Amino acid sequence: MDNMEQNSNRTFIHDYPNSNIITTIYYESGGKSHSRKYIIHSLGIYPSNVKKIKRTSKNCPEYEIPDNYKVETTLEGYDIICETNYSSNGTVKFILNWKDSQGIDRYISNNNSASGVGKDFLMLLNKKTRISGTILFGFDIPCLIEARKSILIPINRKNSFTALTSRSQQNKRIKLLAKDIERASQIILKQQNFDNTKIRYIELEIGDEIVGIDLSKVNLDFTRIRQDVVVCACDEALIPRDGYRHLAAISPNLEREYQISNRRNEISKYMETIIPIYNCKIELDNVQNNSNNSSNNFSNNNSVNSNFSLTNDQSGICSYRSIKDLLNTLIPIWKKKSILNIGDNIKLKFGGDGHIVTNKYSHVMFTMCLLNEGDEVLKPDKQYCILLYIGKEQYEKLSIAVSKFSNELDSLKSAGFIDQDNITWSIEFYFSGDWKLMALVKGLKAANSKYFCLFCECPKDSRGNLNLQWNISENKKGIEHPSLFPIIELDHWIPDELHVMLRITDVLMDCLFRDLMIDLNEFKKATKILIEKEMQRIGLTHFQFFESKSKGKSWDWTSLTGPDKLIMLQHFDDSFTDAEIDSFEVNAKNWIKLFCEPTIGKSNSINQKRGMFNPTDITPYMHIFVFHIPEFLRKLQHKGLNMRQFSTSSIEKKNHLHVKLFFGGTTMGGGNNNNNHSVLHDIMSFENRQLYYLINDTPRCIKQRIIRSNP
Ligand SMILES: [Zn+2]
């Protein structure tokens, strides 16, 4: 039912509050009538410091101006939304919003009067007409005035919030308000039939300040998970504490940085109850080390600058985790994901990498991964850190390091691992690393010594003799020290394919391309284009051949960087058939033959065949490539493994990341304040937290949607 109301000279037709549309009819003295439609978006309230409209004449009534009032009407053919807003100093802002003829959102405001903002709007349209602010905003609509007046006013009337000057008084009042809202909201939610719903966050706009009220403490579990998600996101996206602090300062919705730091520490502490982190020092007795301080004096790690300068005290620090603890945590996860099934052998691959931090010290890392995971092990987060130390990559230090977990290895080898469900798993061990590290942990002499090979007793000067056959065997002649991993079988030491390939790619490419250029015409016409096309296809778009300026009619090519070569080698497929492995072996040998072929014929004559290198120039990498890789390919294929899984690039990536994050002067570890842990302990904590996210399936995002109730 529509009501009719009248004040001085306007008639209102409405069914408020059932409908938010109000129509008014205005009669001129001549009898001509105008109508205006209002759509009420927000009723608004009369605040305690209410302002009244400026009177234009003595007889005109003084209407009060509501706060937070929002009404839609039309003016000069435009749909406009009129708003009022009281600011903290009590002045009223009158705002008009509309879409212009281009459909672009526009707004103007006026701090003086409603008529003023109307006038501003008309001036923008170049109109000389005027509009009464009272009529435009509908301050005189009786049903709205009545509705505002009927809003209950508390009996013991409080001071206006804005009149409160001390922050503690303000906070006290906000808390009272929060309680009231919480109580009232329970009734409203029930009326709207919302189950399992709570208000967890309210944002108030008080003048020009945003005040957030967090009601979520009633749900500790929700808060904890939310914080876990943030801690995890910071760890995964490598957001340092400072970075997060900046973000949180901008967005009041983000958890405070100290809360996140506290939660991070809680997670780290909890994880140390499951997987303790042990700290020690790796020092050689016969070396004069001026380590007169206690072994835990690392409090000034954050002074490590971007040049990674380390003091003597930091060399030799070491942190490690127990392999059995790691297995205890990981096996249930592997079982749940069916990566491990009863009856499987656990294939553990150990790896290592030394990343140079200064010209004196390296950050040396031992990792393990589960080869049963397949190609997943190529991701750095599937390589689990066992031990880290800062110091040289040298046998004596590696020996001390490995001694920290060699007892565990022995017992795992002999008795297997008994998990929480009382299942016994047998374990196979593998090792892979770059040449230097492999030679060191195997106790062998360096790659430039006479008996250089990691896998056989081939002497240096027989490297080019292709009539000899070298099978994987123990290199007793090259031994300098006892092997640090005696439990790992001979053919379980797998060369890192990428390292081998990288070292010989340059030579390979040079040989290949030079060979193709023997027929320069054919090269120019077809081969060059083919190769360039293929390089484009695999993503090396900048690769091209160009005519050499120095070498006459010869061609040069864009030299490839390390990462480029990796891209190229990724297309080196690993899943070979037996026949393919056989032909690989033949081809590799042919290639070496070609490589060693002496120069035949007169220089510069057409019949000249270029020889490239002497047999003694065959590098250790080429020897491995030709004599051992085919055998490894066969053996691994037999076990359902492939060489790619032994790539150390994921370990190198991890190591590089650690150095960048924790030695680069960021505050990633979260431990620079009030904790005297070493930087290595922080890295291990970081690693432990990765396992926490894995165990708890920490979500990578929070389900959230934001509905705007006001247009
Ligand atoms: Zn060999």
Side-chain angles (χ1 to χ4, degrees):
M1 256 292 285
D2 282 5
N3 293 316
M4 296 270 278
E5 281 173 338
Q6 203 164 5
N7 66 21
S8 55
N9 50 4
R10 297 222 288 167
T11 305
F12 301 91
I13 305 159
H14 70 89
D15 183 22
Y16 192 82
N18 296 322
S19 160
N20 61 347
I21 297 172
I22 298 169
T23 312
T24 168
I25 300 163
Y26 166 73
Y27 296 96
E28 273 182 38
S29 46
K32 200 181 166 196
S33 72
H34 304 272
S35 77
R36 172 172 291 282
K37 192 170 90 175
Y38 298 96
I39 304 168
I40 311 302
H41 289 296
S42 162
L43 174 64
I45 52 149
Y46 294 127
S48 51
N49 55 345
V50 71
K51 291 268 185 299
K52 292 177 178 171
I53 61 158
K54 283 171 189 157
R55 271 198 279 189
T56 44
S57 70
K58 263 190 184 169
N59 302 331
C60 174
E62 261 191 320
Y63 294 109
E64 289 180 326
I65 303 167
D67 182 22
N68 195 22
Y69 170 53
K70 208 167 180 180
V71 60
E72 185 178 332
T73 183
T74 54
L75 188 56
E76 295 291 342
Y78 288 92
D79 289 331
I80 56 171
I81 293 170
C82 310
E83 273 184 75
T84 59
N85 257 316
Y86 278 64
S87 50
S88 46
N89 61 10
T91 60
V92 186
K93 196 184 223 179
F94 300 89
I95 305 158
L96 292 192
N97 296 281
W98 75 100
K99 268 190 174 32
D100 69 12
S101 51
Q102 315 283 323
I104 296 165
D105 287 324
R106 301 280 303 272
Y107 87 96
I108 47 170
S109 67
N110 186 305
N111 290 336
N112 207 17
S113 68
S115 305
V117 77
K119 195 176 157 192
D120 294 343
F121 177 79
L122 291 167
M123 272 169 64
L124 271 177
L125 301 178
N126 286 322
K127 303 273 177 188
K128 297 221 167 73
T129 49
R130 296 191 66 173
I131 174 90
S132 143
T134 303
I135 288 173
L136 184 63
F137 279 71
F139 292 139
D140 59 343
I141 303 172
C143 62
L144 299 184
I145 296 172
E146 199 181 309
R148 287 180 201 118
K149 296 273 185 198
S150 68
I151 294 169
L152 282 174
I153 292 158
I155 305 151
N156 51 347
R157 202 174 162 150
K158 296 181 169 88
N159 283 333
S160 154
F161 177 82
T162 43
L164 299 175
T165 45
S166 92
R167 204 158 175 97
S168 68
Q169 276 181 314
Q170 289 185 350
N171 288 349
K172 214 166 159 184
R173 177 69 65 80
I174 292 170
K175 275 182 189 161
L176 280 173
L177 173 70
K179 282 230 169 75
D180 277 357
I181 292 175
E182 216 173 352
R183 207 176 304 125
S185 71
Q186 282 165 1
I187 297 163
I188 296 167
L189 288 166
K190 202 164 188 172
Q191 282 168 348
Q192 293 280 349
N193 209 359
F194 276 74
D195 290 331
N196 204 10
T197 311
K198 289 184 195 92
I199 288 192
R200 62 178 305 273
Y201 193 80
I202 308 167
E203 240 178 38
L204 303 177
E205 201 179 301
I206 306 176
D208 46 16
E209 191 191 1
I210 295 170
V211 177
I213 304 173
D214 191 352
L215 302 165
S216 65
K217 61 183 179 297
V218 289
N219 191 344
L220 272 175
D221 199 45
F222 190 92
T223 312
R224 185 185 57 78
I225 291 172
R226 199 187 151 90
Q227 288 180 350
D228 282 5
V229 174
V230 178
V231 175
C232 173
C234 286
D235 272 350
E236 294 226 325
L238 312 172
I239 301 169
R241 287 179 60 188
D242 293 345
Y244 186 80
R245 192 178 289 125
H246 281 296
L247 281 177
I250 296 166
S251 173
N253 277 333
L254 282 178
E255 320 286 307
R256 301 297 84 193
E257 195 277 326
Y258 72 90
Q259 290 172 322
I260 296 308
S261 276
N262 288 346
R263 183 67 195 148
R264 183 187 292 117
N265 289 338
E266 272 172 32
I267 294 173
S268 301
K269 264 190 197 152
Y270 165 73
M271 282 309 292
E272 281 205 48
T273 64
I274 301 174
I275 307 176
I277 297 166
Y278 304 99
N279 301 309
C280 65
K281 274 213 135 187
I282 293 184
E283 280 168 337
L284 306 179
D285 296 335
N286 55 347
V287 174
Q288 281 288 312
N289 245 330
N290 47 353
S291 56
N292 38 11
N293 289 328
S294 79
S295 63
N296 255 352
N297 183 18
F298 309 120
S299 48
N300 43 2
N301 272 334
N302 51 351
S303 68
V304 173
N305 62 26
S306 54
N307 294 326
F308 304 139
S309 65
L310 288 173
T311 65
N312 270 344
D313 278 331
Q314 278 156 330
S315 104
I317 60 169
C318 172
S319 288
Y320 60 98
R321 302 188 284 186
S322 141
I323 294 167
K324 285 185 178 175
D325 288 342
L326 284 170
L327 288 176
N328 235 335
T329 305
L330 286 164
I331 284 178
I333 297 167
W334 291 334
K335 284 203 306 199
K336 208 168 107 189
K337 293 185 174 172
S338 293
I339 295 164
L340 276 188
N341 299 299
I342 291 172
D344 287 351
N345 274 2
I346 291 182
K347 297 186 171 89
L348 274 192
K349 192 212 82 177
F350 296 100
D353 183 52
H355 190 102
I356 293 165
V357 185
T358 69
N359 52 3
K360 262 180 153 178
Y361 304 111
S362 287
H363 175 236
V364 181
M365 168 187 279
F366 278 102
T367 59
M368 67 173 206
C369 70
L370 181 75
L371 292 170
N372 310 51
E373 287 202 88
D375 279 357
E376 280 290 294
V377 299
L378 300 176
K379 296 178 183 164
D381 60 334
K382 294 290 156 78
Q383 300 284 345
Y384 306 102
C385 263
I386 307 168
L387 181 140
L388 304 165
Y389 77 84
I390 290 175
K392 281 181 185 157
E393 257 183 284
Q394 67 188 83
Y395 180 84
E396 291 75 12
K397 293 197 171 172
L398 290 165
S399 168
I400 298 172
V402 172
S403 72
K404 304 293 175 194
F405 54 85
S406 51
N407 285 344
E408 278 195 310
L409 290 182
D410 290 341
S411 106
L412 287 170
K413 174 90 176 176
S414 56
F417 183 79
I418 300 165
D419 75 9
Q420 292 153 347
D421 299 327
N422 226 12
I423 299 167
T424 306
W425 301 87
S426 352
I427 305 184
E428 292 171 27
F429 297 102
Y430 294 83
F431 193 99
S432 175
D434 63 24
W435 192 301
K436 185 185 174 196
L437 188 79
M438 287 251 270
L440 281 169
V441 296
K442 286 189 95 172
L444 294 172
K445 288 177 186 158
N448 58 2
S449 58
K450 185 175 181 196
Y451 296 101
F452 65 94
C453 186
L454 297 170
F455 308 106
C456 73
E457 292 185 332
C458 173
K460 196 177 183 175
D461 48 15
S462 300
R463 278 208 289 251
N465 188 344
L466 292 168
N467 300 319
L468 298 173
Q469 179 71 30
W470 298 103
N471 293 329
I472 298 168
S473 59
E474 207 178 332
N475 181 0
K476 285 182 183 149
K477 292 177 180 160
I479 283 178
E480 198 172 25
H481 303 284
S483 169
L484 296 179
F485 291 90
I487 57 148
I488 298 182
E489 291 160 40
L490 214 56
D491 55 356
H492 284 201
W493 295 83
I494 316 292
D496 176 11
E497 162 197 73
L498 277 180
H499 264 274
V500 173
M501 294 295 282
L502 272 178
R503 292 296 170 100
I504 54 186
T505 321
D506 290 324
V507 189
L508 244 170
M509 280 189 19
D510 195 74
C511 288
L512 175 72
F513 294 158
R514 293 287 167 219
D515 211 44
L516 291 169
M517 284 174 205
I518 289 173
D519 187 346
L520 257 185
N521 280 333
E522 178 65 21
F523 177 79
K524 232 154 108 183
K525 232 171 42 201
T527 323
K528 166 181 173 292
I529 299 153
L530 267 176
I531 294 173
E532 284 174 349
K533 246 191 188 163
E534 185 61 12
M535 289 293 196
Q536 295 260 335
R537 188 186 69 79
I538 64 172
L540 301 176
T541 47
H542 59 282
F543 181 90
Q544 59 179 34
F545 289 98
F546 48 90
E547 274 181 281
S548 172
K549 281 176 188 159
S550 56
K551 294 177 216 157
K553 278 184 179 169
S554 179
W555 290 71
D556 283 334
W557 55 87
T558 322
S559 62
L560 297 179
T561 61
D564 285 344
K565 280 186 239 164
L566 282 179
I567 291 174
M568 202 176 74
L569 294 172
Q570 268 165 16
H571 295 262
F572 178 80
D573 198 349
D574 252 324
S575 329
F576 294 117
T577 63
D578 286 341
E580 278 170 335
I581 297 173
D582 291 344
S583 81
F584 172 86
E585 187 169 17
V586 172
N587 288 336
K589 280 193 175 158
N590 282 340
W591 170 63
I592 289 286
K593 263 184 206 149
L594 185 82
F595 189 86
C596 307
E597 228 162 64
T599 305
I600 302 166
K602 274 189 202 162
S603 167
N604 289 332
S605 81
I606 299 164
N607 295 325
Q608 188 210 12
K609 268 184 129 186
R610 284 174 314 115
M612 284 162 268
F613 292 92
N614 293 321
T616 48
D617 286 332
I618 303 250
T619 66
Y621 289 98
M622 292 179 192
H623 165 83
I624 283 195
F625 184 69
V626 171
F627 290 103
H628 302 309
I629 297 251
E631 192 178 350
F632 276 117
L633 284 173
R634 286 191 195 100
K635 290 199 173 198
L636 292 175
Q637 192 206 25
H638 182 71
K639 287 178 182 291
L641 299 168
N642 66 47
M643 287 210 76
R644 191 169 47 228
Q645 293 170 287
F646 294 88
S647 162
T648 54
S649 72
S650 52
I651 306 168
E652 283 164 13
K653 259 183 229 159
K654 192 185 201 71
N655 198 346
H656 183 77
L657 197 76
H658 283 173
V659 169
K660 203 170 95 187
L661 282 176
F662 292 91
F663 296 90
T666 70
T667 50
M668 194 64 210
N672 287 336
N673 310 337
N674 64 45
N675 108 16
N676 53 358
H677 284 149
S678 79
V679 64
L680 297 187
H681 191 108
D682 284 345
I683 296 175
M684 281 300 196
S685 281
F686 177 81
E687 292 277 313
N688 260 355
R689 289 197 300 275
Q690 310 291 319
L691 291 174
Y692 174 88
Y693 309 138
L694 203 61
I695 300 166
N696 292 284
D697 236 337
T698 303
R700 295 307 192 260
C701 61
I702 296 169
K703 266 195 197 165
Q704 183 173 332
R705 65 183 144 160
I706 291 172
I707 314 278
R708 299 192 76 89
S709 64
N710 293 319

